[in-house]
Amino acid sequence: MKNVIITGASGGIGKEIALHFAENGWNVIATMLCLEHGKELQGIKNISCYVLDVTSTESIATAKKKIVEDFKTIDVVINNAGVGYRSFVELAEDDEINNIVDINWLGVVKVCRAFIPVFRAQKRGHFINISSIAGLVNLPLGSFYHATKHAVESFSECMAYELIDFNISVSTMQFGNTPSNFQKNVVKSEHSSLVSYNVLMDKISLILKNKTAKNTDLKPLIIRELLKIAENPPKNFKRYTIGFDANSLSILRSKMGYRLFGRLIRQSVLK
């Protein structure tokens, strides 16, 4: 049986990824901030739960020590942990900015940094870093979330060059809004005295809510694709763009260029 580490596995799509891998014969190392949060996974065959805070180097080191004691090899690490922050730059708060950077980007960096030596020692391994269509295109009110996902994309591609000689490979996966707890938990800036800001926030929130509700078939597609990647990882860096929304936006952005694409977004959202 192969072994996979999944961060942010206590709920949402992370939990469902863990269940799918376990059902398909993988040993799942499900990591989370608190074991109480992942109580639905405890006792399930092939799933082992560990406390791991992706923002804490110490927590990662402690979890890593326990994991490598319990499992002889690690085949795949899926960096899934992430949060959202929808805010105007002017109204953004330091704590929220620091939080999303610490989790969405530096969390990926720190987990990869910790497990590269494990992969090197066993002369193989694969990182799958969950990004987003936000890592490929830029949309209104996404200044901070998009920035972290662009950072994950750049970091992953650069890291892949460093690791290829050690038979360690890297992939990223981008997708759009999928029904899960993620959108419900997105932190949004408060309504302000600026009418324009309030109108735009309400428009974007409604668009994302409606789009998420329509994408009922996206989550199973993402989970199945992740298993395929893990079972047959590419040797070189590869991006996987999943779902109609993500593929459409990616193609439009690349074909139209940023000016025409920007005009399209303004007409769609700011009209």
Side-chain angles (χ1 to χ4, degrees):
M1 293 177 68
K2 292 186 176 181
N3 306 319
V4 58
I5 295 174
I6 304 171
T7 67
S10 63
I13 195 170
K15 181 180 73 174
E16 297 189 43
I17 294 168
L19 291 169
H20 187 68
F21 271 73
E23 290 167 359
N24 283 273
W26 283 65
N27 284 320
V28 174
I29 301 157
T31 76
M32 56 204 67
L33 279 174
C34 173
L35 292 181
E36 180 65 21
H37 295 167
K39 57 186 178 182
E40 293 179 29
L41 295 178
Q42 294 178 30
I44 294 179
K45 184 180 179 182
N46 300 341
I47 297 181
S48 303
C49 297
Y50 294 81
V51 172
L52 188 153
D53 178 356
V54 300
T55 70
S56 167
T57 300
E58 182 179 358
S59 174
I60 295 169
T62 300
K64 173 187 171 181
K65 184 175 184 296
K66 293 178 181 177
I67 290 168
V68 297
E69 287 174 355
D70 294 343
F71 296 88
K72 291 182 179 180
T73 58
I74 304 297
D75 296 279
V76 176
V77 173
I78 300 177
N79 278 301
N80 165 74
V83 295
Y85 183 36
R86 194 176 305 149
S87 177
F88 301 93
V89 173
E90 179 183 357
L91 305 180
E93 299 176 6
D94 284 353
D95 287 347
E96 297 298 344
I97 296 171
N98 292 337
N99 188 55
I100 195 170
V101 171
D102 284 347
I103 295 173
N104 288 14
W105 179 46
L106 293 180
V108 174
V109 173
K110 291 177 180 179
V111 171
C112 289
R113 182 178 63 183
F115 285 94
I116 286 172
V118 176
F119 283 170
R120 273 199 303 102
Q122 63 191 31
K123 298 181 180 179
R124 63 183 175 85
H126 188 66
F127 291 106
I128 305 176
N129 296 332
I130 302 298
S131 175
S132 166
I133 187 56
L136 300 181
V137 303
N138 300 302
L139 302 171
L141 295 187
S143 299
F144 306 102
Y145 183 73
H146 285 246
T148 61
K149 293 304 183 179
H150 277 278
V152 168
E153 289 291 339
S154 296
F155 166 77
S156 300
E157 186 172 355
C158 290
M159 182 176 67
Y161 292 123
E162 303 172 15
L163 301 179
I164 192 167
D165 285 348
F166 303 105
N167 197 30
I168 302 170
S169 53
V170 184
S171 297
T172 61
M173 177 181 281
Q174 307 87 25
F175 46 85
N177 295 288
T178 181
S180 71
N181 293 332
F182 183 84
Q183 286 296 331
K184 296 177 184 177
N185 296 330
V186 168
V187 176
K188 294 183 284 186
S189 59
E190 299 291 337
H191 273 223
S192 75
S193 59
L194 300 170
V195 175
S196 174
Y197 279 1
N198 296 333
V199 170
L200 182 56
M201 175 64 80
D202 291 342
K203 280 185 177 180
I204 295 299
S205 296
L206 182 60
I207 289 170
L208 293 177
K209 179 181 178 182
N210 292 338
K211 180 59 66 176
T212 300
K214 291 179 181 178
N215 288 339
T216 54
D217 61 341
L218 181 56
K219 185 160 51 177
L221 181 62
I222 293 165
I223 294 170
R224 290 195 300 269
E225 188 65 25
L226 278 170
L227 182 63
K228 288 181 183 178
I229 299 168
E231 291 185 334
N232 188 27
K235 292 183 179 180
N236 298 309
F237 176 74
K238 187 171 182 179
R239 291 186 170 93
Y240 294 85
T241 306
I242 309 300
F244 177 79
D245 292 347
N247 278 290
S248 297
L249 284 171
S250 179
I251 292 169
L252 282 172
R253 174 64 180 82
S254 63
K255 298 295 184 183
M256 298 176 72
Y258 78 91
R259 290 185 179 179
L260 287 177
F261 183 77
R263 184 182 299 173
L264 174 67
I265 296 301
R266 287 193 298 274
Q267 290 174 348
S268 302
V269 176
L270 305 178
K271 60 184 178 180

